[in-house]
Amino acid sequence: MRSSLAPGVWFFRAFSRDSWFRGSILLLTFLIYTCYHMSRKPISVVKSRLHQNCSEQIKPINDTHSLNDTTWCSWAPFDKDNYKELLAGVDNAFLVAYAIGMFISGVFGERLPLRYYLSAGMLLSGLFTSLFGLGYFWNIHELWYFVVIQVCNGLVQTTGWPSVVTCVGNWFGKGKRGFIMGIWNSHTSVGNILGSLIAGIWVNGQWGLSFVVPGIITAIMGVITFLFLIEHPEDVDCSPPQHHGEPAENQDNPEDPGNSPCSIRDSGLETVAKTSKGPCEEPAAINFFGALRIPGVVEFSLCLLFAKLVSYTFLYWLPLYISNVAHFSAKEAGDLSTLFDVGGIIGGIMAGLISDYTNGRATTCCVMLILAAPMMFLYNYIGQDGITSSIVMLIICGGLVNGPYALITTAVSADLGTHKSLKGNAKALSTVTAIIDGTGSIGAALGPLLAGLISPTGWNNVFYMLISADVLACLLLCRLVYKEILAWKVSLSRGSGSSVVLTHQRPYFPQVP
């Protein structure tokens, strides 16, 4: 029994149990979103296989194409001169559907059990990813087939991000959230790396398997999610997190409406006892415009639009760029492009660490965006001079480009979704996350589309477009950076006698009156 144990022993056991559950949820959600990104990556690797330089290929003996046919080794309908525009259209079908669906997905995510919602989304995502690859085995050469599959896949993949961020936000408070989510958000880069490596195995042969295998893995992960995902700590009698650094005794204060029994999920006999005293009202889910009024949501959403434009352009076009400029094979280009995601892992963790130490989420993003612009310029001009320079520049660019993107979509989204102005209403987290990532997904759709339209005029112009977007993302954070600097000045002026801890300030999230 709980009362028979010494307080210290009980605390140790409870802490260990809570930590075990939190660690398992962090790992499970990490694997979930790794699979989502793994299933998105193969298209970027297979692009250079769909349209090849056939003069470098050996024509099979039983080939029926004419001797003057220079596109015999390409996959129709991508064998035409406008193949870059067609490939951009296929990318955009997924990304536009994803951007539109993201705004809707958060609303469903608040109102449906996350375990069912995520499981269904992963099963369907695995199905549509596999169907794209089956086009190879079924010998399908119709553009509409690939576009329709991409639209459906884009819609079902919106189930992922709001759900996993909400689940992690339910389990982890604000303390060291940037560092924890910086590590956790490496699932994006890990998924991209796995997707590239898996696709690279079959890209030069039966490229359909580059999609079918990740699709099967994603579907299997959906089944595991259904069996093991736990949405709330209270579901397994674990202690809920503290979101704003308040003392533990305030969590149990009955005068605080944000900490009332109605705001905590109960189970077992406690539920019966409390419901017998009177009905508890669940906090109402926040609406779209209510979420936009939370301080910082609009600025970070617009910043993410341009940051994600840059990141997703690299995601979808980097292997083809390396193949065209450095003249590597499809597999070599795909393998080399994974270094960009290795840099993304490092950048996401560093962004989380720095922003936790300074509590300067906006400033951290702004500094990394400022540094990313000249590094992209240098990569375009000297990055292909040798394999060493290419490796170093890819890792640095990946860290600076994906660092702000990772920080905004994780720690910042969770901060805003549990902002004190919401008065303990945890149901806002999914909507806020969906708004921020949905706005960013508009940029994710625009980037690859613009790259497909601009690249025929030269890759230099693509990089100028990316640098411009990076600068705009930085400018959109200027007001929040200014607020953070003012907050730091106030904290420093108080001196050591005030015992103010810098990391407890929330400079860009003032209380909504």
Side-chain angles (χ1 to χ4, degrees):
M1 292 177 62
R2 188 177 297 187
S3 59
S4 65
L5 296 173
V9 175
W10 170 251
F11 172 79
F12 177 77
R13 290 188 178 181
F15 176 78
S16 299
R17 184 174 183 275
D18 284 7
S19 298
W20 189 90
F21 272 106
R22 283 188 168 87
S24 62
I25 291 300
L26 204 65
L27 177 61
L28 181 58
T29 51
F30 179 94
L31 295 175
I32 288 170
Y33 213 68
T34 294
C35 289
Y36 273 106
H37 257 265
M38 177 185 64
S39 64
R40 298 178 194 177
K41 184 63 176 177
I43 182 66
S44 67
V45 178
V46 175
K47 276 179 182 176
S48 55
R49 175 68 173 80
L50 297 177
H51 187 96
Q52 301 182 85
N53 183 357
C54 298
S55 62
E56 300 176 355
Q57 306 294 322
I58 299 176
K59 185 176 292 190
I61 298 176
N62 58 350
D63 186 77
T64 58
H65 293 85
S66 66
L67 295 176
N68 297 325
D69 189 354
T70 59
T71 62
W72 62 268
C73 63
S74 298
W75 189 269
F78 306 106
D79 54 346
K80 307 294 190 297
D81 291 337
N82 64 340
Y83 73 98
K84 289 184 179 179
E85 289 85 347
L86 295 180
L87 290 171
V90 173
D91 289 342
N92 224 47
F94 174 91
L95 294 168
V96 169
Y98 185 86
I100 295 173
M102 185 58 71
F103 289 102
I104 306 170
S105 180
V107 177
F108 285 110
E110 287 179 358
R111 293 161 174 80
L112 297 174
L114 293 182
R115 185 164 63 94
Y116 298 150
Y117 193 51
L118 265 174
S119 301
M122 296 195 76
L123 288 170
L124 290 172
S125 180
L127 171 65
F128 289 120
T129 302
S130 299
L131 285 174
F132 193 102
L134 289 173
Y136 169 83
F137 298 100
W138 295 339
N139 202 30
I140 295 176
H141 297 276
E142 299 294 333
L143 181 64
W144 67 264
Y145 173 83
F146 299 104
V147 169
V148 170
I149 293 299
Q150 287 287 78
V151 169
C152 294
N153 202 8
L155 290 174
V156 299
Q157 287 231 354
T158 61
T159 58
W161 189 242
S163 301
V164 294
V165 171
T166 299
C167 191
V168 172
N170 290 340
W171 280 87
F172 291 89
K174 188 174 185 298
K176 295 185 178 179
R177 181 181 274 165
F179 174 62
I180 291 172
M181 287 196 161
I183 296 175
W184 176 75
N185 193 62
S186 62
H187 53 49
T188 299
S189 297
V190 172
N192 292 340
I193 292 170
L194 288 176
S196 296
L197 295 178
I198 292 173
I201 295 173
W202 294 285
V203 66
N204 291 322
Q206 296 179 324
W207 60 259
L209 291 174
S210 298
F211 295 89
V212 173
V213 174
I216 293 173
I217 296 173
T218 302
I220 292 172
M221 196 64 209
V223 176
I224 295 174
T225 300
F226 178 80
L227 295 175
F228 295 106
L229 183 67
I230 302 170
E231 298 177 30
H232 300 271
E234 296 85 359
D235 293 342
V236 287
D237 294 328
C238 289
S239 58
Q242 299 178 23
H243 286 297
H244 299 292
E246 62 268 46
E249 57 268 20
N250 290 350
Q251 296 286 338
D252 300 322
N253 183 3
E255 301 298 327
D256 187 353
N259 297 312
S260 64
C262 298
S263 65
I264 301 176
R265 295 172 62 92
D266 299 297
S267 60
L269 296 176
E270 292 180 356
T271 304
V272 178
K274 288 178 180 176
T275 53
S276 63
K277 296 178 182 178
C280 277
E281 285 188 13
E282 287 289 328
I286 192 171
N287 60 34
F288 181 85
F289 294 103
L292 288 177
R293 291 170 56 192
I294 299 172
V297 168
V298 173
E299 289 92 338
F300 277 114
S301 297
L302 293 176
C303 172
L304 186 62
L305 186 150
F306 292 103
K308 211 167 178 179
L309 182 153
V310 178
S311 180
Y312 267 64
T313 302
F314 275 101
L315 173 67
Y316 280 91
W317 287 91
L318 181 58
L320 185 62
Y321 167 77
I322 294 173
S323 179
N324 287 354
V325 176
H327 307 292
F328 288 169
S329 68
K331 186 181 186 306
E332 292 170 339
D335 291 344
L336 188 61
S337 70
T338 61
L339 294 172
F340 183 85
D341 295 296
V342 172
I345 295 174
I346 299 171
I349 295 173
M350 292 301 299
L353 271 174
I354 295 169
S355 67
D356 273 345
Y357 181 75
T358 63
N359 202 36
R361 308 281 201 222
T363 305
T364 302
C365 291
C366 194
V367 171
M368 296 186 81
L369 289 168
I370 290 172
L371 295 175
M375 292 308 299
M376 286 190 288
F377 180 84
L378 289 175
Y379 172 67
N380 182 42
Y381 276 90
I382 67 173
Q384 307 302 329
D385 289 349
I387 188 66
T388 303
S389 62
S390 183
I391 290 173
V392 172
M393 296 294 291
L394 276 173
I395 293 175
I396 294 175
C397 286
L400 295 174
V401 168
N402 283 341
Y405 162 41
L407 187 62
I408 294 173
T409 54
T410 52
V412 169
S413 295
D415 286 349
L416 295 171
T418 56
H419 184 245
K420 65 177 74 173
S421 66
L422 298 170
K423 298 179 180 179
N425 182 0
K427 288 193 172 184
L429 183 53
S430 184
T431 295
V432 169
T433 303
I435 289 174
I436 292 176
D437 200 52
T439 306
S441 297
I442 296 174
L446 286 174
L449 175 64
L450 291 174
L453 296 175
I454 296 173
S455 57
T457 67
W459 287 106
N460 288 345
N461 294 329
V462 174
F463 275 87
Y464 294 148
M465 179 268 292
L466 297 178
I467 293 170
S468 300
D470 187 83
V471 172
L472 288 173
C474 184
L475 292 175
L476 287 164
L477 293 180
C478 287
R479 187 179 72 87
L480 301 182
V481 171
Y482 177 70
K483 283 190 174 185
E484 288 180 355
I485 294 173
L486 290 181
W488 292 336
K489 286 184 177 180
V490 171
S491 178
L492 292 173
S493 65
R494 291 177 181 175
S496 58
S498 63
S499 67
V500 174
V501 180
L502 182 62
T503 55
H504 287 172
Q505 301 295 324
R506 298 177 64 82
Y508 52 84
F509 302 148
Q511 179 75 37
V512 174

